[in-house]
Amino acid sequence: MFTVLIVDDEANVRLPMCRTLARFEGVGEVLDASSGLEAIAILKQRTVQLVITDIRMPAGDGLQLAEYIRQHSRQTDVYVLTGHAEFDYAMKAMQHQVAAYLLKPLSKEKLLEVYNEAYGKYRRRMESEQVNVIRSRALLEKRMHDLLHGVPVPTFDEGLIPQYATIRLVSFSTKDLRSLGETSVRYFIRECAHESFSGLGTAAVCEEDRLITVVLFTEHDDKMAWEQRVQEISKWMEAKLRIEVKTGHGGCTKEISDLGLMYMRSMMSLGFNEITRKERGDSFPPIIKALLKYVHNEYANETANLSDFAQQFQVNANYLSNLFHQEIGLTYTQYLTQFRLTEAKRWLRETNLKVYEVCIRVGYKDPAYFSRIFKTFVGMAPGDYRTVEHS
């Protein structure tokens, strides 16, 4: 909202200007003050885009007011109004970066000219800020999508990550979003999801063919509000799209590096995994079948990495990585981690091995690290999981 503040100790000057300005198109509110000190008190409470002030007033003059505005509200345009055309006053006003030095009496035409100039600058600034917000959001969502698939955020983009105490993740599964038709439909879904979750913090919405994943950064975590919002958006999507919507909970974390694991957890809860695909009768290329067999045989080996396999089979590692992601839906690292943790769950259920022994058997050396990723992936610590499964 464009707000104007008129400051003059003479009411017969101040109030007619207020009435005139209130009739101009685009003006949201016109405030007035009879002194510089009164104006400063208003500015401490309100955001004002345009100030027109008399230069000589008994309680805080216009130059003092202009100096305060330059120090505390640099985007506020200041016009100094006076009946004294002395050159030294004009120079002092310019030192405080006022927009212009205006002589009384100010005609309606001149007032309109001043307003149009300030309002035009305000509109251009708002449009520029809006473009920057849209660009920042799009880049944040791109970086979050990369993180979900195991691609780290470049150092030069780390500033995009909002301040947070907790990160939450949820995925909504539908039929192929491309089958919904117009791009505008998918955009509408994303925007509604973004608007809904943004009330809880900073939300990044990532769209894929069959998934809409929401990553929420929040400084004040409210689990009940989060769960209510998840239910509401799921029901809303079902009602609007008239298709079944499933919800995959990825959980919460304090470490942004856990996002890939949380995404995997949500995917598994939705049934997106290799077993499901094989049951549908899909077939993998021979090289992917060989790589899956390699994972199943070598997962306990800490060095079970894709580059070794690629070198052994004389295949380009980047090509193989992209093909694996395309065929399986997870990166190689994500799949390897998923398989290791699935095997860890089996060892915990079926044996009495200690947690650190299970850790070693599934390819990890650090029990603390193993426990952290297990909790992120499964939702509880390894010991708690065993207790639940044996109860």
Side-chain angles (χ1 to χ4, degrees):
M1 180 173 68
F2 191 85
T3 302
V4 184
L5 173 61
I6 304 299
V7 189
D8 199 306
D9 59 323
E10 298 180 61
N12 63 335
V13 175
R14 183 176 75 248
L15 297 180
M17 289 177 63
C18 290
R19 288 193 292 268
T20 301
L21 279 161
R23 292 192 290 269
F24 290 164
E25 183 178 355
V27 174
E29 188 175 12
V30 180
L31 309 173
D32 69 285
S34 60
S35 70
L37 294 180
E38 185 181 346
I40 289 174
I42 291 174
L43 290 167
K44 287 180 178 179
Q45 302 294 325
R46 303 291 301 274
T47 299
V48 175
Q49 283 72 45
L50 169 62
V51 173
I52 301 176
T53 178
D54 191 11
I55 201 169
R56 286 187 171 180
M57 294 174 291
D61 65 24
L63 296 185
Q64 291 173 315
L65 175 59
E67 183 178 9
Y68 174 85
I69 292 172
R70 290 285 68 80
Q71 292 175 355
H72 298 89
S73 181
R74 298 189 64 85
Q75 291 189 338
T76 299
D77 285 320
V78 182
Y79 288 78
V80 172
L81 180 66
T82 182
H84 305 275
E86 296 92 335
F87 181 73
D88 60 335
Y89 268 94
M91 291 303 294
K92 287 181 180 179
M94 292 307 175
Q95 287 173 9
H96 294 294
Q97 299 177 18
V98 302
Y101 181 75
L102 308 171
L103 293 175
K104 294 181 180 179
L106 196 63
S107 67
K108 179 180 178 181
E109 291 73 21
K110 187 62 177 178
L111 186 59
L112 179 60
E113 179 184 327
V114 167
Y115 166 72
N116 284 338
E117 182 178 346
Y119 186 62
K121 288 172 62 178
Y122 166 76
R123 287 287 301 273
R124 290 190 294 273
R125 187 168 64 247
M126 290 298 100
E127 289 169 0
S128 177
E129 289 178 2
Q130 186 175 16
V131 168
N132 288 336
V133 167
I134 292 171
R135 285 176 177 168
S136 296
R137 176 186 156 191
L139 188 52
L140 174 63
E141 291 178 344
K142 170 66 169 64
R143 294 309 181 204
M144 290 305 100
H145 182 274
D146 290 345
L147 274 176
L148 299 184
H149 294 283
V151 180
V153 175
T155 303
F156 54 80
D157 276 341
E158 288 179 352
L160 290 167
I161 308 301
Q163 293 291 324
Y164 68 90
T166 302
I167 307 174
R168 289 189 174 273
L169 181 146
V170 66
S171 294
F172 301 99
S173 170
T174 70
K175 66 179 182 180
D176 193 331
L177 292 176
R178 289 174 298 185
S179 67
L180 298 177
E182 296 293 331
T183 304
S184 58
V185 176
R186 301 196 296 277
Y187 175 80
F188 175 68
I189 296 168
R190 291 179 67 254
E191 289 304 299
C192 288
H194 181 270
E195 182 179 351
S196 178
F197 284 100
S198 290
L200 302 177
T202 301
V205 183
C206 305
E207 174 198 329
E208 297 179 85
D209 291 346
R210 296 183 61 190
L211 286 175
I212 293 177
T213 299
V214 178
V215 178
L216 179 73
F217 297 88
T218 175
E219 295 190 67
H220 306 286
D221 188 38
D222 187 336
K223 184 180 179 181
M224 290 183 62
W226 162 261
E227 291 177 347
Q228 181 180 353
R229 201 62 53 89
V230 169
Q231 291 180 358
E232 289 173 352
I233 199 68
S234 178
K235 291 178 180 178
W236 175 86
M237 288 174 64
E238 285 190 333
K240 291 294 181 182
L241 305 178
R242 297 180 181 178
I243 57 176
E244 182 183 11
V245 175
K246 296 180 180 179
T247 303
H249 295 273
C252 66
T253 186
K254 298 184 183 299
E255 303 289 339
I256 196 167
S257 57
D258 289 340
L259 273 177
L261 288 169
M262 295 165 70
Y263 180 64
M264 287 164 53
R265 185 180 172 196
S266 72
M267 292 270 284
M268 286 195 69
S269 68
L270 289 167
F272 286 87
N273 53 49
E274 181 225 342
I275 302 302
T276 301
R277 177 167 180 159
K278 288 168 77 173
E279 287 176 350
R280 295 203 312 264
D282 293 349
S283 59
F284 296 119
I287 190 66
I288 298 301
K289 288 182 180 179
L291 184 52
L292 289 172
K293 183 177 180 181
Y294 173 78
V295 171
H296 300 170
N297 291 337
E298 302 294 332
Y299 72 93
N301 186 341
E302 190 183 14
T303 61
N305 57 65
L306 183 133
S307 58
D308 287 347
F309 177 89
Q311 185 175 6
Q312 178 184 343
F313 280 79
Q314 298 183 344
V315 180
N316 180 278
N318 288 333
Y319 166 78
L320 184 58
S321 175
N322 292 332
L323 180 62
F324 188 89
H325 187 198
Q326 177 183 322
E327 292 293 325
I328 304 300
L330 296 172
T331 66
Y332 175 80
T333 300
Q334 287 176 335
Y335 183 83
L336 175 61
T337 303
Q338 172 186 302
F339 192 84
R340 282 172 165 170
L341 294 175
T342 299
E343 287 298 296
K345 288 162 64 177
R346 182 176 65 81
W347 285 109
L348 289 168
R349 284 195 312 267
E350 299 177 3
T351 74
N352 292 320
L353 291 172
K354 296 184 182 300
V355 171
Y356 78 86
E357 292 175 314
V358 173
C359 165
I360 294 171
R361 284 186 179 238
V362 296
Y364 296 103
K365 286 186 176 180
D366 184 351
Y369 175 72
F370 167 71
S371 293
R372 184 173 72 81
I373 65 170
F374 187 96
K375 184 175 181 180
T376 302
F377 183 78
V378 180
M380 63 183 73
D384 295 335
Y385 175 80
R386 169 175 276 163
T387 300
V388 170
E389 290 296 315
H390 289 175
S391 62

mmCIF file of all heavy atoms in Angstrom, residues 212-235:
data_model
loop_
_atom_site.group_PDB
_atom_site.id
_atom_site.type_symbol
_atom_site.label_atom_id
_atom_site.label_comp_id
_atom_site.label_asym_id
_atom_site.label_seq_id
_atom_site.Cartn_x
_atom_site.Cartn_y
_atom_site.Cartn_z
ATOM 1 N N ILE A 212 4.267 -34.515 -5.967
ATOM 2 C CA ILE A 212 4.462 -33.133 -5.545
ATOM 3 C C ILE A 212 5.059 -33.213 -4.149
ATOM 4 O O ILE A 212 4.431 -33.737 -3.227
ATOM 5 C CB ILE A 212 3.142 -32.345 -5.526
ATOM 6 C CG1 ILE A 212 2.618 -32.173 -6.954
ATOM 7 C CG2 ILE A 212 3.353 -30.977 -4.862
ATOM 8 C CD1 ILE A 212 1.291 -31.469 -7.034
ATOM 9 N N THR A 213 6.296 -32.762 -4.009
ATOM 10 C CA THR A 213 6.991 -32.839 -2.734
ATOM 11 C C THR A 213 7.146 -31.448 -2.145
ATOM 12 O O THR A 213 7.580 -30.523 -2.837
ATOM 13 C CB THR A 213 8.378 -33.492 -2.893
ATOM 14 O OG1 THR A 213 8.211 -34.824 -3.383
ATOM 15 C CG2 THR A 213 9.126 -33.532 -1.567
ATOM 16 N N VAL A 214 6.771 -31.305 -0.880
ATOM 17 C CA VAL A 214 6.867 -30.021 -0.178
ATOM 18 C C VAL A 214 7.973 -30.124 0.872
ATOM 19 O O VAL A 214 7.962 -31.034 1.710
ATOM 20 C CB VAL A 214 5.542 -29.651 0.505
ATOM 21 C CG1 VAL A 214 5.689 -28.335 1.275
ATOM 22 C CG2 VAL A 214 4.415 -29.556 -0.516
ATOM 23 N N VAL A 215 8.927 -29.195 0.794
ATOM 24 C CA VAL A 215 9.973 -29.066 1.808
ATOM 25 C C VAL A 215 9.698 -27.772 2.561
ATOM 26 O O VAL A 215 9.618 -26.707 1.954
ATOM 27 C CB VAL A 215 11.377 -29.021 1.175
ATOM 28 C CG1 VAL A 215 12.442 -28.839 2.249
ATOM 29 C CG2 VAL A 215 11.641 -30.288 0.367
ATOM 30 N N LEU A 216 9.522 -27.870 3.881
ATOM 31 C CA LEU A 216 9.187 -26.694 4.690
ATOM 32 C C LEU A 216 10.302 -26.381 5.674
ATOM 33 O O LEU A 216 10.685 -27.225 6.486
ATOM 34 C CB LEU A 216 7.879 -26.930 5.453
ATOM 35 C CG LEU A 216 7.435 -25.763 6.354
ATOM 36 C CD1 LEU A 216 6.923 -24.606 5.499
ATOM 37 C CD2 LEU A 216 6.362 -26.203 7.345
ATOM 38 N N PHE A 217 10.809 -25.162 5.593
ATOM 39 C CA PHE A 217 11.783 -24.660 6.560
ATOM 40 C C PHE A 217 11.027 -23.807 7.584
ATOM 41 O O PHE A 217 10.342 -22.855 7.204
ATOM 42 C CB PHE A 217 12.835 -23.792 5.870
ATOM 43 C CG PHE A 217 13.669 -24.523 4.857
ATOM 44 C CD1 PHE A 217 13.252 -24.617 3.535
ATOM 45 C CD2 PHE A 217 14.866 -25.112 5.213
ATOM 46 C CE1 PHE A 217 14.014 -25.285 2.589
ATOM 47 C CE2 PHE A 217 15.643 -25.782 4.271
ATOM 48 C CZ PHE A 217 15.212 -25.870 2.966
ATOM 49 N N THR A 218 11.137 -24.152 8.851
ATOM 50 C CA THR A 218 10.413 -23.396 9.867
ATOM 51 C C THR A 218 11.308 -23.095 11.056
ATOM 52 O O THR A 218 12.105 -23.933 11.480
ATOM 53 C CB THR A 218 9.157 -24.166 10.331
ATOM 54 O OG1 THR A 218 8.526 -23.470 11.389
ATOM 55 C CG2 THR A 218 9.508 -25.560 10.816
ATOM 56 N N GLU A 219 11.189 -21.877 11.581
ATOM 57 C CA GLU A 219 11.964 -21.483 12.761
ATOM 58 C C GLU A 219 11.235 -21.852 14.040
ATOM 59 O O GLU A 219 11.853 -21.940 15.104
ATOM 60 C CB GLU A 219 12.255 -19.977 12.716
ATOM 61 C CG GLU A 219 13.150 -19.567 11.555
ATOM 62 C CD GLU A 219 13.611 -18.130 11.658
ATOM 63 O OE1 GLU A 219 14.380 -17.825 12.587
ATOM 64 O OE2 GLU A 219 13.186 -17.310 10.813
ATOM 65 N N HIS A 220 9.920 -22.024 13.953
ATOM 66 C CA HIS A 220 9.111 -22.392 15.120
ATOM 67 C C HIS A 220 8.222 -23.571 14.716
ATOM 68 O O HIS A 220 7.119 -23.388 14.209
ATOM 69 C CB HIS A 220 8.270 -21.206 15.602
ATOM 70 C CG HIS A 220 9.077 -19.966 15.871
ATOM 71 N ND1 HIS A 220 9.883 -19.835 16.979
ATOM 72 C CD2 HIS A 220 9.226 -18.823 15.140
ATOM 73 C CE1 HIS A 220 10.475 -18.649 16.941
ATOM 74 N NE2 HIS A 220 10.105 -18.024 15.842
ATOM 75 N N ASP A 221 8.732 -24.760 14.918
ATOM 76 C CA ASP A 221 8.051 -25.963 14.451
ATOM 77 C C ASP A 221 6.745 -26.210 15.207
ATOM 78 O O ASP A 221 6.707 -26.127 16.434
ATOM 79 C CB ASP A 221 8.975 -27.171 14.607
ATOM 80 C CG ASP A 221 8.398 -28.417 13.964
ATOM 81 O OD1 ASP A 221 7.784 -28.296 12.894
ATOM 82 O OD2 ASP A 221 8.558 -29.505 14.542
ATOM 83 N N ASP A 222 5.681 -26.477 14.460
ATOM 84 C CA ASP A 222 4.377 -26.786 15.038
ATOM 85 C C ASP A 222 3.863 -28.057 14.349
ATOM 86 O O ASP A 222 3.275 -28.000 13.269
ATOM 87 C CB ASP A 222 3.405 -25.623 14.810
ATOM 88 C CG ASP A 222 2.073 -25.818 15.530
ATOM 89 O OD1 ASP A 222 1.710 -26.982 15.818
ATOM 90 O OD2 ASP A 222 1.391 -24.810 15.808
ATOM 91 N N LYS A 223 4.122 -29.202 14.984
ATOM 92 C CA LYS A 223 3.794 -30.488 14.370
ATOM 93 C C LYS A 223 2.302 -30.626 14.092
ATOM 94 O O LYS A 223 1.897 -31.112 13.031
ATOM 95 C CB LYS A 223 4.267 -31.625 15.275
ATOM 96 C CG LYS A 223 4.045 -33.012 14.671
ATOM 97 C CD LYS A 223 4.538 -34.113 15.604
ATOM 98 C CE LYS A 223 4.285 -35.486 15.001
ATOM 99 N NZ LYS A 223 4.739 -36.573 15.899
ATOM 100 N N MET A 224 1.456 -30.186 15.032
ATOM 101 C CA MET A 224 0.004 -30.317 14.853
ATOM 102 C C MET A 224 -0.467 -29.489 13.663
ATOM 103 O O MET A 224 -1.280 -29.954 12.850
ATOM 104 C CB MET A 224 -0.726 -29.905 16.125
ATOM 105 C CG MET A 224 -0.559 -30.879 17.287
ATOM 106 S SD MET A 224 -1.513 -30.398 18.742
ATOM 107 C CE MET A 224 -3.184 -30.461 18.082
ATOM 108 N N ALA A 225 0.034 -28.256 13.556
ATOM 109 C CA ALA A 225 -0.357 -27.394 12.433
ATOM 110 C C ALA A 225 0.109 -27.994 11.114
ATOM 111 O O ALA A 225 -0.599 -27.951 10.099
ATOM 112 C CB ALA A 225 0.221 -25.999 12.622
ATOM 113 N N TRP A 226 1.330 -28.566 11.112
ATOM 114 C CA TRP A 226 1.864 -29.220 9.915
ATOM 115 C C TRP A 226 0.978 -30.380 9.488
ATOM 116 O O TRP A 226 0.597 -30.486 8.319
ATOM 117 C CB TRP A 226 3.285 -29.687 10.188
ATOM 118 C CG TRP A 226 3.819 -30.722 9.238
ATOM 119 C CD1 TRP A 226 3.878 -32.065 9.437
ATOM 120 C CD2 TRP A 226 4.360 -30.499 7.925
ATOM 121 N NE1 TRP A 226 4.445 -32.691 8.352
ATOM 122 C CE2 TRP A 226 4.745 -31.765 7.409
ATOM 123 C CE3 TRP A 226 4.573 -29.363 7.153
ATOM 124 C CZ2 TRP A 226 5.310 -31.908 6.149
ATOM 125 C CZ3 TRP A 226 5.147 -29.510 5.877
ATOM 126 C CH2 TRP A 226 5.510 -30.753 5.403
ATOM 127 N N GLU A 227 0.649 -31.266 10.411
ATOM 128 C CA GLU A 227 -0.162 -32.438 10.074
ATOM 129 C C GLU A 227 -1.552 -32.027 9.590
ATOM 130 O O GLU A 227 -2.103 -32.639 8.665
ATOM 131 C CB GLU A 227 -0.261 -33.355 11.290
ATOM 132 C CG GLU A 227 1.071 -34.025 11.634
ATOM 133 C CD GLU A 227 0.997 -34.873 12.892
ATOM 134 O OE1 GLU A 227 -0.001 -34.751 13.625
ATOM 135 O OE2 GLU A 227 1.951 -35.656 13.139
ATOM 136 N N GLN A 228 -2.102 -30.985 10.196
ATOM 137 C CA GLN A 228 -3.418 -30.496 9.753
ATOM 138 C C GLN A 228 -3.333 -29.946 8.335
ATOM 139 O O GLN A 228 -4.212 -30.207 7.506
ATOM 140 C CB GLN A 228 -3.915 -29.412 10.706
ATOM 141 C CG GLN A 228 -5.294 -28.857 10.320
ATOM 142 C CD GLN A 228 -5.757 -27.781 11.295
ATOM 143 O OE1 GLN A 228 -5.126 -27.536 12.308
ATOM 144 N NE2 GLN A 228 -6.864 -27.137 10.971
ATOM 145 N N ARG A 229 -2.267 -29.202 8.045
ATOM 146 C CA ARG A 229 -2.098 -28.635 6.703
ATOM 147 C C ARG A 229 -1.908 -29.727 5.670
ATOM 148 O O ARG A 229 -2.435 -29.642 4.553
ATOM 149 C CB ARG A 229 -0.906 -27.683 6.723
ATOM 150 C CG ARG A 229 -0.893 -26.651 5.591
ATOM 151 C CD ARG A 229 -2.107 -25.725 5.654
ATOM 152 N NE ARG A 229 -2.251 -25.120 6.944
ATOM 153 C CZ ARG A 229 -1.695 -23.972 7.307
ATOM 154 N NH1 ARG A 229 -0.923 -23.325 6.463
ATOM 155 N NH2 ARG A 229 -1.938 -23.461 8.496
ATOM 156 N N VAL A 230 -1.167 -30.796 6.020
ATOM 157 C CA VAL A 230 -0.963 -31.919 5.103
ATOM 158 C C VAL A 230 -2.308 -32.570 4.763
ATOM 159 O O VAL A 230 -2.591 -32.859 3.589
ATOM 160 C CB VAL A 230 0.000 -32.954 5.721
ATOM 161 C CG1 VAL A 230 0.003 -34.253 4.902
ATOM 162 C CG2 VAL A 230 1.416 -32.387 5.798
ATOM 163 N N GLN A 231 -3.139 -32.799 5.770
ATOM 164 C CA GLN A 231 -4.458 -33.398 5.536
ATOM 165 C C GLN A 231 -5.326 -32.493 4.666
ATOM 166 O O GLN A 231 -6.021 -32.955 3.748
ATOM 167 C CB GLN A 231 -5.149 -33.677 6.867
ATOM 168 C CG GLN A 231 -4.517 -34.792 7.675
ATOM 169 C CD GLN A 231 -5.246 -35.039 8.984
ATOM 170 O OE1 GLN A 231 -6.209 -34.359 9.310
ATOM 171 N NE2 GLN A 231 -4.777 -36.014 9.737
ATOM 172 N N GLU A 232 -5.286 -31.204 4.965
ATOM 173 C CA GLU A 232 -6.124 -30.255 4.218
ATOM 174 C C GLU A 232 -5.737 -30.192 2.747
ATOM 175 O O GLU A 232 -6.604 -30.220 1.873
ATOM 176 C CB GLU A 232 -6.008 -28.862 4.845
ATOM 177 C CG GLU A 232 -6.687 -28.735 6.192
ATOM 178 C CD GLU A 232 -6.410 -27.393 6.854
ATOM 179 O OE1 GLU A 232 -5.564 -26.629 6.332
ATOM 180 O OE2 GLU A 232 -7.031 -27.102 7.885
ATOM 181 N N ILE A 233 -4.446 -30.126 2.459
ATOM 182 C CA ILE A 233 -4.026 -30.005 1.067
ATOM 183 C C ILE A 233 -4.281 -31.303 0.316
ATOM 184 O O ILE A 233 -4.617 -31.298 -0.870
ATOM 185 C CB ILE A 233 -2.548 -29.571 0.951
ATOM 186 C CG1 ILE A 233 -2.272 -28.996 -0.450
ATOM 187 C CG2 ILE A 233 -1.603 -30.699 1.255
ATOM 188 C CD1 ILE A 233 -2.938 -27.703 -0.734
ATOM 189 N N SER A 234 -4.159 -32.454 0.992
ATOM 190 C CA SER A 234 -4.449 -33.734 0.350
ATOM 191 C C SER A 234 -5.927 -33.818 -0.039
ATOM 192 O O SER A 234 -6.265 -34.198 -1.166
ATOM 193 C CB SER A 234 -4.076 -34.880 1.287
ATOM 194 O OG SER A 234 -4.395 -36.117 0.700
ATOM 195 N N LYS A 235 -6.799 -33.456 0.887
ATOM 196 C CA LYS A 235 -8.244 -33.478 0.595
ATOM 197 C C LYS A 235 -8.599 -32.472 -0.491
ATOM 198 O O LYS A 235 -9.430 -32.738 -1.360
ATOM 199 C CB LYS A 235 -9.033 -33.179 1.870
ATOM 200 C CG LYS A 235 -8.963 -34.297 2.905
ATOM 201 C CD LYS A 235 -9.723 -33.924 4.163
ATOM 202 C CE LYS A 235 -9.643 -35.038 5.205
ATOM 203 N NZ LYS A 235 -10.343 -34.660 6.472
#
